[in-house]
Amino acid sequence: MTAVDTDLDEHWMRQAIAAARDAEARGEIPVGTCIVSGETLLAVAGNRTRTDIDPTAHAELVALREAARKIGNYRLPDVVVYSTIEPCAMCAGGLVQARVRRLVYGAADERAGAVESRFRICDTDFLNHRIAVTAGVLEEDCRKLMQQFFRARRGG
């Protein structure tokens, strides 16, 4: 098992938060993701569903596509994925398919989170790959970003 470096996790989560803010500036739901191999940033993305008119353009999948192209392989067994919000079922499934080593996320998604809140896609015995998960990195910052976005959208 690999030791967890909290300072490093926070550093990369800040990159994901910046991507979430960029997504919000484009009118997207503010979710951001970055993918790291060792100390190398392979990809960073925010949600692009509205921008790309693509229901699969969640931050996690956009970043997975970019990282896979960069390394020339659809398998990403040595990477760590940082996401501001607990991934949904589609994104968690993508992480498993890519054989991601570790997922770090900020805030839980009680309604649709598929890593720990609703389903356990990343560590279920039914699939052939399990992902190490670290939750709650810069959790309050990630949660506030989402809460403020939805509060503003509701007009209050």
Side-chain angles (χ1 to χ4, degrees):
M1 180 166 207
T2 307
V4 174
D5 183 335
T6 305
D7 290 338
L8 197 56
D9 283 351
E10 288 182 4
H11 167 78
W12 292 118
M13 187 60 74
R14 284 186 185 89
Q15 301 296 312
I17 290 170
R21 286 190 176 116
D22 289 345
E24 181 178 24
R26 290 190 319 275
E28 301 280 355
I29 294 173
V31 177
T33 298
C34 69
I35 299 179
V36 179
S37 179
E39 295 180 15
T40 304
L41 178 64
L42 295 176
V44 62
N47 271 358
R48 297 189 56 86
T49 56
R50 290 170 177 81
T51 303
D52 292 355
I53 312 169
D54 178 355
T56 70
H58 289 196
E60 297 92 337
L61 295 185
V62 173
L64 281 174
R65 291 176 188 131
E66 182 181 333
R69 277 192 295 273
K70 189 170 280 183
I71 67 166
N73 193 338
Y74 69 104
R75 299 285 194 222
L76 303 167
D78 298 319
V79 306
V80 179
V81 174
Y82 293 86
S83 183
T84 56
I85 299 299
E86 179 183 4
C88 70
M90 176 179 67
C91 294
L95 298 173
V96 170
Q97 291 299 315
R99 306 300 193 262
V100 164
R101 178 174 57 86
R102 183 169 169 246
L103 166 67
V104 179
Y105 69 86
D109 183 345
E110 301 296 329
R111 188 178 58 79
V115 176
E116 295 178 314
S117 294
R118 291 286 174 186
F119 308 104
R120 297 206 60 104
I121 291 174
C122 292
D123 65 358
T124 182
D125 291 337
F126 296 116
L127 300 175
N128 62 351
H129 179 71
R130 283 156 203 72
I131 299 171
V133 175
T134 302
V137 174
L138 298 180
E139 180 176 12
E140 191 61 29
D141 294 340
C142 294
R143 179 180 291 111
K144 280 183 182 175
L145 192 60
M146 292 293 280
Q147 287 174 336
Q148 290 168 352
F149 174 80
F150 284 111
R151 195 172 295 126
R153 231 174 172 195
R154 288 188 299 268

